[in-house]
Amino acid sequence: MNNEAPIALILGGTGRTGSLLADALAQRGIIPRTAARSEADVRFDWDAPATHQAALDGVDRLYLVTPTARISYAGQVRAFLDLAEAASVRHVTYLSVYNADQAPTEVDIAAVEADLASRHGITHSVLRTSWVMQNFADDHLPVIDGVIMVPSAGGREAFVDAADIAAVAAQTLLDPETHAGATYSLTGPQALTFQEVADIIAAVSGRPVAYHDIDQETWINGALAAGVPADYAVMMRWLTGSVIAGNGATPTGDIEKVTDRPATTFRAFAERTAHAWTPEAK
């Protein structure tokens, strides 16, 4: 009888959800193997297929994070999943996006979901996440000179804590049979405007924070000028367009259902992260 602990390969293992997921699994008896281009347990690069097979050695479950800052990757993911299936991986938890079934056809999010659903040798769970709260504390939507600038036209979004995403991912990887075939839409418990986000950050950090709405195309062009790949404009236009149209994420309760605890409020996240917005941190 084999009493060895199962091994979970965590792509994006040094990222916002992957690093938290690794800790959660290690505490629950699963061996996490973080994978990234650097500073992880194993080197993994989507554009270097030679790194893929070794990362899968002995793995029986997988946290799938697709290539970042690009929209076309279904072929790469399909080839990797073929390797994973041949290597005896039996469950995949896929980090997807809220309303992935409504994504533009140029974006391969839904294609990866469909690929997983078509496989009979691997079970899967899909985590469709709303905008992550950590965006406001890192380089994605930073507070610059006391200002948050992103197009929204007053629309709302149920921002989600990366720690809650990791908690749900851990449950799906700990108990794949229970969560096989499940699609969870992961949101925070409140749908907030960006102005409300700015007000909360100001309150907990003790410094003025303003929200400035901005023309969508002006914002996208600025991101492209700063180095975001040109084809990613499609993704940025869709994500912000959903909020502008009033179709941003709304609370679903899926985090509560899977973890049996409340989802994190934005204020609780902000209080935990206040140091990121203090003058000393800049």
Side-chain angles (χ1 to χ4, degrees):
M1 181 176 178
N2 186 356
N3 293 317
E4 292 183 5
I7 300 173
L9 179 64
I10 304 173
L11 302 190
T14 59
R16 293 184 296 191
T17 61
S19 57
L20 297 171
L21 175 58
D23 290 341
L25 292 179
Q27 294 170 16
R28 303 281 292 279
I30 289 183
I31 299 171
R33 179 183 295 165
T34 58
R37 283 177 292 183
S38 61
E39 300 182 355
D41 295 329
V42 294
R43 182 171 180 269
F44 183 93
D45 186 337
W46 279 109
D47 296 322
T51 66
H52 298 181
Q53 186 68 62
L56 290 163
D57 184 35
V59 168
D60 78 338
R61 57 202 74 187
L62 165 68
Y63 182 59
L64 176 62
V65 177
T66 52
T68 57
R70 69 177 76 172
I71 61 173
S72 299
Y73 44 74
Q76 288 176 297
V77 174
R78 185 181 309 110
F80 177 66
L81 290 175
D82 288 344
L83 283 178
E85 194 166 1
S88 298
V89 170
R90 290 296 169 256
H91 182 81
V92 176
T93 293
Y94 170 41
L95 184 65
S96 186
V97 178
Y98 189 87
N99 281 345
D101 53 330
Q102 300 175 25
T105 56
E106 303 98 313
V107 180
D108 283 344
I109 299 168
V112 173
E113 290 191 8
D115 184 341
L116 284 167
S118 72
R119 292 177 183 268
H120 302 296
I122 298 180
T123 61
H124 71 280
S125 305
V126 175
L127 311 184
R128 293 179 173 177
T129 70
S130 61
W131 290 39
V132 181
M133 294 176 184
Q134 279 76 4
N135 285 342
F136 296 100
D138 60 22
D139 293 334
H140 289 78
L141 295 173
V143 179
I144 299 177
D145 296 329
V147 175
I148 296 171
M149 188 176 297
V150 61
S152 74
R156 295 179 175 272
E157 178 74 11
F159 302 99
V160 65
D161 186 356
D164 288 341
I165 299 171
V168 172
Q171 290 300 119
T172 65
L173 292 167
L174 285 160
D175 188 6
E177 290 185 5
T178 296
H179 301 283
T183 296
Y184 298 118
S185 294
L186 305 185
T187 70
Q190 307 157 293
L192 301 172
T193 65
F194 284 85
Q195 181 62 61
E196 289 168 334
V197 165
D199 292 343
I200 292 170
I201 294 174
V204 303
S205 67
R207 60 181 292 213
V209 177
Y211 168 61
H212 288 178
D213 206 341
I214 183 174
D215 174 75
Q216 185 186 42
E217 292 305 314
T218 300
W219 182 76
I220 291 172
N221 289 336
L224 299 182
V228 173
D231 63 352
Y232 200 68
V234 173
M235 186 74 166
M236 299 172 70
R237 192 171 290 111
W238 172 54
L239 293 175
T240 54
S242 294
V243 176
I244 291 169
N247 297 322
T250 57
T252 63
D254 280 358
I255 288 171
E256 292 85 344
K257 179 171 66 176
V258 175
T259 66
D260 200 29
R261 63 167 177 75
T264 304
T265 65
F266 192 91
R267 186 174 186 93
F269 160 76
E271 289 173 346
R272 191 180 81 220
T273 317
H275 61 277
W277 303 299
T278 59
E280 293 77 14
K282 301 300 179 183

